[in-house]
Each structure stands twice: as structure tokens, then as C-alpha cells.
Amino acid sequence: MEALLSNLREEPGVAAVAGVLAAAVGFWMLAPPSGKGARRGRRQLEDLVRSNILELQPYRCARDDYDSGVLLDANENSFGPPFDKKRNSLVLERYPSPYLWELKQKIAKFRGVRKEQIFLGVGSDEGLDMLIRIFCNPREDSILITPPTYGMYKVCAKVNDVNIQVAPLTPSFELDIPAMVNPKPHPNPNPKT
């Protein structure tokens, strides 16, 4: 964890998120093991992941097996680019690789980590939504927000039917650890009648 955080020190926003995640995982690691982790006597990341997510099989698309020819499964333009090939050499009729290994390799080399440790998404919204979908059970689990904060935390929680707990930042915009240990439920602005 320290190696990851040392790579993020030059990016305060990312480092702040990484720090909060590190603290959250640290609190979780200190809590007594329960469930699957209790049987092994230690905690594992898999203990946090929803069971239905662990049961998923990786999706295979035709791109995993083929990279040329007419690939009808992807709804691509099988006639080639609509532009003059002499002026434009871009391959615009094909979807890019969903794995982005070349880009991940360059980022990994720059950051001193393995390419498998790099997550690339369409903005932070996708990553937040994915984290909540993977780790939070709808109508059972909660996320903790520390207002004032990024509004998408609430949106992603609502979309995934996950409860929200609130621990506002202090007047000097620092984490209020006692409030984080005993957060307040977020008021529902649209209670069901």
C-alpha cells in the first residue's frame, strides 16, 4: 500500500481518495473476521466482493479470438472507413481493444507497477459505479460520504440501491474520524408514502 501511495503523492486529489480507501481497508482489516474470512482466520479481498460477482464468468467477445475480417458481432462498419484512405490512415470502423494493454503498459512503467494493476475507465463515475456494484449488496450495505464531496457518490449509491451514511468534514475540511466511526444515515429526500 505504501508503494502505491508514494506513486500518488504528486496528485493530491488521487492521493486523497487513495488515502481514504487505505484507511477504510485498514479499519476493515482490524475488525474481527466474519463470514468466509473467519473460516480462514484472515481477511481476503474476496471476502468483500458480492458472491454473485465472484460467480461471474469472464465475458468473451469475438475480439478475443479474431482481430480481422468482418466482425458482425460488434456492429462495426464492415465496408471500411468512410474517409479517403490517402488522407486518413486511422482505423475508425473498428472498436478499440477493450483491454488497452499498450496504454496500461506505458502507465504501469511510468508508475512502477504491473499493467494488471491499472484500471482505466470512462471518467471517475465509471470506477465509482463499478466499485459500488462489486462490493455493496443492494438494500443491505452502505457507503460513507464526507460532505462537501463529489456528488456522484450519492448518485452511484442511489442507482445501485445502496444506503448512504454521512460524516461531514470538519470546518477545516479534515476527516472527522469520530463521526466516520458513528455516521448518520443520509436523509431520504423522497420517502415512500
Side-chain angles (χ1 to χ4, degrees):
M1 181 62 72
E2 180 56 36
L4 172 65
L5 292 176
S6 68
N7 284 327
L8 298 173
R9 286 195 177 104
E10 295 170 12
E11 299 173 34
V14 175
V17 171
V20 170
L21 287 173
V25 170
F27 283 131
W28 173 75
M29 294 292 285
L30 292 173
S34 63
K36 295 178 281 183
R39 284 181 267 145
R40 291 192 302 268
R42 57 182 165 37
R43 293 195 177 264
Q44 300 289 323
L45 183 61
E46 291 81 12
D47 297 333
L48 289 174
V49 178
R50 293 171 43 196
S51 59
N52 63 313
I53 301 295
L54 289 172
E55 294 166 2
L56 287 173
Q57 296 297 316
Y59 170 75
R60 287 188 58 81
C61 67
R63 205 56 38 100
D64 294 333
D65 301 316
Y66 307 99
D67 63 358
S68 62
V70 177
L71 302 173
L72 297 177
D73 71 305
N75 295 319
E76 296 176 332
N77 177 358
S78 59
F79 298 111
F83 307 109
D84 180 3
K85 290 183 182 178
K86 292 178 185 173
R87 292 187 299 157
N88 188 344
S89 62
L90 297 175
V91 182
L92 299 175
E93 76 276 13
R94 298 273 186 222
Y95 284 109
S97 164
Y99 307 115
L100 303 169
W101 289 123
E102 290 178 31
L103 177 59
K104 287 181 179 182
Q105 183 61 46
K106 288 180 181 185
I107 295 170
K109 183 178 178 184
F110 178 72
R111 288 293 183 196
V113 297
R114 295 186 327 271
K115 67 182 177 192
E116 295 81 10
Q117 293 175 289
I118 305 293
F119 169 79
L120 299 175
V122 184
S124 59
D125 297 0
E126 181 183 16
L128 292 172
D129 180 63
M130 193 177 296
L131 283 171
I132 291 173
R133 277 190 285 147
I134 291 170
F135 295 107
C136 296
N137 288 302
R139 297 189 187 117
E140 291 178 22
D141 292 327
S142 300
I143 65 165
L144 175 68
I145 62 172
T146 56
T149 190
Y150 185 46
M152 281 305 292
Y153 293 125
K154 273 195 234 178
V155 172
C156 290
K158 291 294 182 188
V159 165
N160 289 288
D161 206 7
V162 169
N163 300 313
I164 301 169
Q165 300 288 317
V166 179
L169 295 175
T170 66
S172 59
F173 295 102
E174 295 177 323
L175 294 175
D176 184 346
I177 302 301
M180 292 174 75
V181 173
N182 297 303
K184 296 181 178 13
H186 184 267
N188 185 352
N190 302 313
K192 294 178 182 172
T193 54

